[in-house]
Amino acid sequence: MRSVIPMRTAKIGYIVISVLLCVLGVLLIAFPGFSISVLGIVCGILLIVFGIIRLVGFFSKDLYRLAFQYDLAFGLMLVALGIIMLTHFDSLVNFICVILGLSFLADGLFKVQISLDSRRFGVPKWWLILALAVFTVVFGGILVFRPSESSRVLTVLIGISLLFEGFLNFSTMLTAVKIIRHQRPDVIEAENYEEREE
């Protein structure tokens, strides 16, 4: 039997961070004159915490093996990007856009794959993950290529991107992570292996 505590911790952590991303996104949209230095510090801390939560999720071995399957590499990347952002929090907003844009772009692409895996696995709301992932990819790409140099416009774009990233991770946790007490991942893995062999 494997303890569900790491899995539950990761799921709760995902949901809390997702809510925080949505709240920060709304604040940036409502107040585009938000301090760039403060934004850099807040986003850097969120990236590091989210990266650690993703690492916990990867090693938790959830029942479906869907939501956390890419979180080892992505978790390490988020921690590294968060550290970079914290050490350059006084840089221009363009730097923040590139860091956040790349992380959202990568996460959206990973979630596209997760949504397709969820469809094959029989998860009913796989299309919701796919739709939010596509929007996240689009706005992540917009942040990277920055269609405007206006800090207020870019701040609003960051806010919209944070909203989609928060919605994406929230929906992924609710639809693709299944926690069952006393689950036996070794048995599940063996059954999956036998199915692939057939």
Side-chain angles (χ1 to χ4, degrees):
M1 303 288 182
R2 186 188 293 271
S3 172
V4 299
I5 293 176
M7 193 187 317
R8 195 180 302 279
T9 300
K11 184 171 184 176
I12 293 173
Y14 253 89
I15 291 173
V16 170
I17 291 294
S18 297
V19 171
L20 290 176
L21 290 175
C22 290
V23 170
L24 181 57
V26 170
L27 287 176
L28 293 181
I29 295 170
F31 306 102
F34 199 82
S35 169
I36 298 303
S37 296
V38 174
L39 176 61
I41 294 173
V42 171
C43 287
I45 293 172
L46 283 176
L47 286 177
I48 292 173
V49 174
F50 204 9
I52 293 171
I53 290 171
R54 285 175 178 266
L55 291 174
V56 173
F58 177 81
F59 290 108
S60 70
K61 298 292 185 183
D62 68 295
L63 184 63
Y64 285 174
R65 307 292 196 278
L66 293 173
F68 303 131
Q69 60 182 315
Y70 304 112
D71 278 3
L72 176 59
F74 201 75
L76 292 173
M77 185 189 80
L78 286 183
V79 171
L81 290 177
I83 292 173
I84 292 172
M85 189 171 287
L86 282 180
T87 56
H88 296 80
F89 67 87
D90 56 345
S91 298
L92 296 176
V93 68
N94 287 341
F95 178 79
I96 298 174
C97 284
V98 172
I99 294 292
L100 291 179
L102 287 175
S103 64
F104 296 160
L105 187 61
D107 193 35
L109 292 173
F110 282 131
K111 291 297 194 303
V112 168
Q113 181 62 55
I114 289 173
S115 70
L116 298 178
D117 291 341
S118 298
R119 180 186 181 187
R120 287 193 293 269
F121 201 83
V123 175
K125 297 291 181 66
W126 65 271
W127 55 268
L128 179 60
I129 300 174
L130 178 61
L132 290 171
V134 170
F135 280 112
T136 302
V137 167
V138 169
F139 279 97
I142 290 174
L143 282 182
V144 171
F145 294 107
R146 298 179 307 284
S148 171
E149 294 300 320
S150 167
S151 61
R152 294 178 70 87
V153 172
L154 291 177
T155 301
V156 171
L157 287 176
I158 291 173
I160 296 172
S161 300
L162 287 169
L163 267 178
F164 278 115
E165 177 71 6
F167 288 146
L168 174 61
N169 286 289
F170 187 80
S171 65
T172 302
M173 286 303 100
L174 294 184
T175 59
V177 176
K178 184 71 171 176
I179 299 176
I180 296 178
R181 288 187 178 183
H182 310 303
Q183 64 177 314
R184 298 178 61 188
D186 52 336
V187 173
I188 295 167
E189 288 168 357
E191 289 175 353
N192 288 339
Y193 178 78
E194 288 172 2
E195 289 174 3
R196 288 194 296 267
E197 287 291 306
E198 293 176 357

